[in-house]
């Protein structure tokens, strides 16, 4: 095999690999999708939790883990004193499934 042909093949493999990585990156779930999954399962007792304005803080493409931030609101019809809105939370999700909610006092 000539050197020119080997270089062309290598360039083709690299271009295909880059296109494949872009396709995989587009397949990763977004933070909003993960937040929406928490909202749909967010009923706890008499309260309903909703998450909005989710944004990605970091991503580990190899493991499919994203760290996200969202704004949480809690509505408790039977306990209005427990209602909250505008609280910022952070969480990690792997392949669109929330795996861990990060609390501000962790590590202390």
């Amino acid at each position: 095999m000539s050197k020119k042909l080997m270089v062309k093949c290598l360039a083709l493999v690299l271009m295909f690999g880059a296109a494949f990585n872009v396709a995989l990156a587009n397949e990763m779930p977004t933070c909003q999708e993960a937040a929406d999954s928490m909202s749909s399962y967010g009923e706890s007792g008499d309260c309903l939790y909703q998450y909005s304005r989710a944004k990605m803080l970091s991503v580990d493409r190899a493991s499919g883990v994203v760290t996200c931030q969202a704004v949480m609101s809690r509505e408790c019809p039977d306990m209005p004193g427990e209602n909250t809105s505008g609280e910022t939370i952070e969480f990690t999700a792997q392949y669109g499934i929330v795996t861990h909610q990060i609390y501000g006092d962790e590590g202390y």
Side-chain angles (χ1 to χ4, degrees), residues 21-35:
N21 282 338
V22 168
L24 284 178
N26 290 337
E27 299 277 325
M28 289 207 52
T30 66
C31 287
Q32 188 60 52
E33 289 170 331

Side-chain angles (χ1 to χ4, degrees), residues 28-43 48-57 66-73 87-101:
M28 289 207 52
T30 66
C31 287
Q32 188 60 52
E33 289 170 331
D36 289 344
S37 75
M38 283 195 302
S39 293
S40 61
Y41 297 107
E43 286 190 45
L48 175 64
Y49 291 79
Q50 302 231 342
Y51 303 87
S52 61
R53 296 191 304 235
K55 66 179 181 179
M56 189 178 303
L57 299 177
V66 293
T67 302
C68 306
Q69 184 180 65
V71 176
M72 179 188 78
S73 298
E87 182 180 340
T88 302
I89 62 152
E90 292 182 9
F91 58 92
T92 58
Q94 186 168 19
Y95 303 113
I97 299 169
V98 175
T99 56
H100 182 73
Q101 190 166 340

Side-chain angles (χ1 to χ4, degrees), residues 1 3-17:
M1 188 182 278
K3 287 185 180 182
K4 274 187 172 180
L5 184 57
M6 286 180 21
V7 169
K8 285 182 181 180
C9 288
L10 181 60
L12 183 61
V13 167
L14 290 174
M15 287 186 335
F16 176 73

